[in-house]
Amino acid sequence: MSGIAKTPQPPYYAVIFTSERTSGDHGYGKMADKMVELAATQPGFLGIESSDRDQDGLGITVSYWESLEAVRNWKEHSMHKVAQEKGKTVWYQRFGLRVCKVERDNFFEM
Amino acid sequence: MSGIAKTPQPPYYAVIFTSERTSGDHGYGKMADKMVELAATQPGFLGIESSDRDQDGLGITVSYWESLEAVRNWKEHSMHKVAQEKGKTVWYQRFGLRVCKVERDNFFEM
């Protein structure tokens, strides 16, 4: 699941999730891994890119989806809802979430 | 320049730049800082979010712009062109760049 996502020709959708964590793990790492696994089994999932976060740093995760319907279905998934709730009450100091239509892309490999 | 970008009401544009570096710095850190400073002075720039990269890890930088014209102008900026060329020949093993229209967003603060 790591590295640059292999997405199809645009258009498709991206969900940019940018977050700052509270201190301590409190089950976050395990749940984050589980959510990535679960997202990957959802209809319309295209890929995910995630960068490591240093202490007190910004975490960025971008997931890619075939359609807005796929984005909505994942948002409403019951286990994901549980994680979202815990995110707001325990794990995240603050976050930003942006739903975007990818209009063009460009890839490079040395 | 760090943290979650304070962007206006959608729609606006996001450029998602995901990269894997070659080994060694070779002037990368200094140029990266300079490009963030320069981007911030461009017309239509709205903000930038960047996550730290661990060794061999994925780096993700998302910049936000008022319009596709602003995205294009930044792409064509002469100093940015120099950095892009050095990116392909020296700094990046591979990268993905996606230009997106942000359709909705949502922010949370504990």
Side-chain angles (χ1 to χ4, degrees):
Chain A
M1 296 305 295
S2 68
I4 297 168
K6 285 171 185 58
T7 40
Q9 287 295 311
Y12 52 92
Y13 288 84
V15 178
I16 306 170
F17 182 72
T18 314
S19 63
E20 293 175 27
R21 290 264 286 111
T22 52
S23 57
D25 185 71
H26 307 291
Y28 172 78
K30 204 171 156 185
M31 183 66 105
D33 290 346
K34 197 188 274 185
M35 284 304 113
V36 170
E37 275 173 39
L38 188 61
T41 66
Q42 301 307 301
F45 175 86
L46 297 176
I48 193 164
E49 294 171 340
S50 199
S51 64
D52 285 306
R53 162 198 330 257
D54 66 350
Q55 284 294 93
D56 308 318
L58 202 67
I60 303 180
T61 297
V62 188
S63 59
Y64 298 102
W65 304 87
E66 264 174 28
S67 64
L68 280 178
E69 192 192 356
V71 171
R72 260 194 305 272
N73 288 343
W74 172 234
K75 183 187 175 193
E76 299 299 334
H77 188 289
S78 59
M79 279 193 59
H80 190 198
K81 283 273 198 192
V82 171
Q84 287 168 39
E85 184 55 30
K86 195 120 189 241
K88 286 185 177 179
T89 54
V90 180
W91 294 319
Y92 296 118
Q93 189 66 41
R94 59 182 67 83
F95 66 73
L97 186 144
R98 293 173 173 101
V99 179
C100 321
K101 185 178 192 177
V102 180
E103 300 191 340
R104 63 179 181 80
D105 57 18
N106 178 28
F107 298 90
F108 164 81
E109 181 140 10
M110 194 175 261
Chain B
M1 296 303 297
S2 68
I4 297 169
K6 285 171 185 61
T7 41
Q9 288 296 310
Y12 52 93
Y13 287 83
V15 178
I16 307 170
F17 182 73
T18 314
S19 64
E20 293 174 28
R21 290 264 285 107
T22 51
S23 58
D25 184 69
H26 306 292
Y28 171 78
K30 202 172 157 184
M31 182 67 103
D33 291 346
K34 196 189 275 184
M35 284 302 114
V36 170
E37 274 172 40
L38 187 61
T41 66
Q42 301 307 302
F45 174 86
L46 298 176
I48 193 164
E49 294 171 339
S50 200
S51 64
D52 285 305
R53 158 198 335 255
D54 66 350
Q55 283 295 91
D56 307 319
L58 202 66
I60 303 180
T61 296
V62 188
S63 59
Y64 299 102
W65 303 87
E66 264 174 26
S67 64
L68 280 179
E69 191 193 356
V71 171
R72 259 193 307 270
N73 287 344
W74 172 233
K75 182 188 174 193
E76 300 299 333
H77 188 289
S78 58
M79 279 193 60
H80 190 200
K81 283 272 199 193
V82 172
Q84 287 167 39
E85 185 56 28
K86 194 122 189 237
K88 287 184 175 176
T89 52
V90 181
W91 294 320
Y92 296 118
Q93 189 65 42
R94 59 182 68 81
F95 66 71
L97 186 143
R98 293 173 173 100
V99 179
C100 320
K101 184 178 192 176
V102 180
E103 299 192 340
R104 64 180 181 78
D105 57 18
N106 178 30
F107 297 91
F108 164 81
E109 180 138 11
M110 195 176 260

